[in-house]
Amino acid sequence: MENGGQEIPEDANEHCPGPQSESAGKSDSCEGCPNQEACATAPKGPDPDLVAIVERMATVKHKILVLSGKGGVGKSTFSAQLSFALAAMDFQVGLLDIDICGPSIPKMLGLEGQEIHQSNLGWSPVYVESNLGVMSIGFMLPNPDEAVIWRGPRKNGIIKQFLKDVYWGELDFLVVDAPPGTSDEHISIVQFLQATGIDGAIIVTTPQQVSLIDVRKEVSFCKKVGLPVLGVVENMSGLCQSLSEFKFLSVAETGEQKDMTEWVIAQMREKVPDMLNFFAFSEVFDSSAGGGAKMCTDMGVPFLGKVPLDPQLCKAAEEGRSCFDDIKCRVSAPAIKMIVDKLLSQVKVSRMEDGA
């Protein structure tokens, strides 16, 4: 809803003067409105920092948010591997971690202990490779175990500072790893970036309904704020692992466990050696309701694909390395690569050096 060019909250009173109006939160029509206090205390008029953000982002070709409705679905792992994949394709890539309270990107990119440096051009990202730079509040904490206990305005302030003060140079892609949910950080990043042109959001989920319920809210959030949904990724879509990497147990009625791995592997090697080349698959989460693909059909958004729960991918994330560097991630790396290819076919990609 709009009033004189101003975006009016959906739950506002009937004669809302508009959140940017001088009478916002103070007029008689504001009485009883759930937004009254926020409107009364919010700064009025255009934000001068937005001009600085637009100028800074002018050298960034594509901006992609990675979101999730629920924590623990592997959103940051996907953000990290998406960035590794794009960099491996010779794109210039930046990865911005705005998960203020839980910054895991430095760990997943192998950059723990690094610090931010300043130049006359602004804050310098920390580089994994010459074409992959990273910025995170994790680089600013004096102690990695330090809790970040900030209210919304301070979180919004650091996000704004990341956008206007970090000197990325020319980028083909800026991947923004957001915290789970639909809170202050999400509203801020969308508002700050919309004027600069934002491609849209990738939403990460797991297959079960308890995750999809929250992802539906995330899709609804994107639609309300005018953020295109580039697609949904179903992560941890079944455990998939080579039989040779499994641990085998015998379990007694008492619950006592005995490791039988060596015996089982020896039996397979002797009697059916080809079995050691097979992968075993098991559904960890219930997807009987159709999983992410069904949810995408219901809500009219693209489905980008599935990434299996691969212990080798988990290990790569723990060690801060790309799953594409070797052949260990034999099931997850091809799955992520297919998703990246599908994403690139949707985004009109042109490299910065092409001048497009």
Side-chain angles (χ1 to χ4, degrees), residues 213-285:
I213 287 170
D214 289 334
V215 169
R216 289 174 182 271
K217 296 183 179 73
E218 200 79 34
V219 173
S220 175
F221 165 82
C222 291
K223 290 180 177 179
K224 284 182 177 179
V225 299
L227 178 64
V229 177
L230 298 173
V232 173
V233 173
E234 184 180 285
N235 197 27
M236 306 185 198
S237 185
L239 173 67
C240 193
Q241 187 175 6
S242 169
L243 274 176
S244 62
E245 295 173 358
F246 269 89
K247 184 176 181 180
F248 296 88
L249 305 173
S250 66
V251 183
E253 291 183 2
T254 60
E256 183 182 355
Q257 298 178 354
K258 184 179 180 182
D259 189 344
M260 302 294 292
T261 305
E262 288 188 12
W263 181 84
V264 172
I265 295 295
Q267 290 294 308
M268 284 195 286
R269 186 172 289 117
E270 178 185 347
K271 297 177 181 178
V272 276
D274 288 346
M275 281 189 67
L276 294 173
N277 298 321
F278 281 74
F279 283 75
F281 177 87
S282 175
E283 277 200 349
V284 178
F285 301 111

Side-chain angles (χ1 to χ4, degrees), residues 48-308:
D49 287 334
L50 290 181
V51 176
I53 291 172
V54 170
E55 290 176 354
R56 185 68 84 179
M57 291 290 110
T59 59
V60 180
K61 192 70 178 176
H62 300 283
K63 306 164 196 77
I64 297 173
L65 268 61
V66 182
L67 309 175
S68 68
K70 186 175 288 296
V73 299
K75 169 188 54 60
S76 294
T77 299
F78 181 80
S79 296
Q81 297 303 325
L82 169 62
S83 301
F84 276 130
L86 292 170
M89 299 168 77
D90 291 330
F91 289 110
Q92 296 292 325
V93 183
L95 175 55
L96 175 59
D97 180 8
I98 64 165
D99 193 343
I100 307 300
C101 295
S104 52
I105 288 298
K107 170 74 173 175
M108 293 185 175
L109 275 291
L111 298 174
E112 285 183 298
Q114 298 293 319
E115 297 179 353
I116 298 171
H117 298 284
Q118 277 190 297
S119 70
N120 58 339
L121 296 173
W123 289 356
S124 297
V126 178
Y127 284 89
V128 184
E129 300 164 5
S130 60
N131 66 332
L132 176 53
V134 181
M135 181 56 67
S136 170
I137 195 173
F139 299 137
M140 304 169 70
L141 300 178
N143 182 339
D145 297 329
E146 190 82 21
V148 179
I149 308 172
W150 289 0
R151 294 187 186 275
R154 195 171 179 192
K155 291 180 181 179
N156 297 343
I158 192 66
I159 292 171
K160 183 184 287 186
Q161 196 164 7
F162 280 156
L163 292 175
K164 72 184 181 71
D165 290 345
V166 176
Y167 178 69
W168 297 100
E170 293 191 343
L171 289 183
D172 293 303
F173 287 94
L174 178 64
V175 177
V176 181
D177 183 50
T182 54
S183 56
D184 285 350
E185 296 95 318
H186 306 81
I187 297 169
S188 295
I189 193 70
V190 172
Q191 287 179 339
F192 296 154
L193 285 181
Q194 271 181 334
T196 74
I198 181 169
D199 291 80
I202 298 170
I203 303 176
V204 181
T205 185
T206 46
Q208 78 277 34
Q209 284 297 307
V210 73
S211 177
L212 292 170
I213 287 170
D214 289 334
V215 169
R216 289 174 182 271
K217 296 183 179 73
E218 200 79 34
V219 173
S220 175
F221 165 82
C222 291
K223 290 180 177 179
K224 284 182 177 179
V225 299
L227 178 64
V229 177
L230 298 173
V232 173
V233 173
E234 184 180 285
N235 197 27
M236 306 185 198
S237 185
L239 173 67
C240 193
Q241 187 175 6
S242 169
L243 274 176
S244 62
E245 295 173 358
F246 269 89
K247 184 176 181 180
F248 296 88
L249 305 173
S250 66
V251 183
E253 291 183 2
T254 60
E256 183 182 355
Q257 298 178 354
K258 184 179 180 182
D259 189 344
M260 302 294 292
T261 305
E262 288 188 12
W263 181 84
V264 172
I265 295 295
Q267 290 294 308
M268 284 195 286
R269 186 172 289 117
E270 178 185 347
K271 297 177 181 178
V272 276
D274 288 346
M275 281 189 67
L276 294 173
N277 298 321
F278 281 74
F279 283 75
F281 177 87
S282 175
E283 277 200 349
V284 178
F285 301 111
D286 179 23
S287 61
S288 58
K294 174 68 163 53
M295 188 273 298
C296 287
T297 300
D298 293 343
M299 300 202 73
V301 294
F303 183 63
L304 290 176
K306 301 179 180 183
V307 180

Side-chain angles (χ1 to χ4, degrees), residues 290-342:
K294 174 68 163 53
M295 188 273 298
C296 287
T297 300
D298 293 343
M299 300 202 73
V301 294
F303 183 63
L304 290 176
K306 301 179 180 183
V307 180
L309 180 56
D310 179 1
Q312 291 295 337
L313 175 60
C314 300
K315 190 173 182 182
E318 282 289 303
E319 295 175 354
R321 57 181 173 83
S322 170
C323 70
F324 305 100
D325 282 349
D326 51 42
I327 60 169
K328 292 181 180 178
C329 301
R330 286 190 285 170
V331 291
S332 54
I336 294 172
K337 181 62 167 59
M338 283 191 286
I339 289 170
V340 173
D341 290 342
K342 195 170 183 179

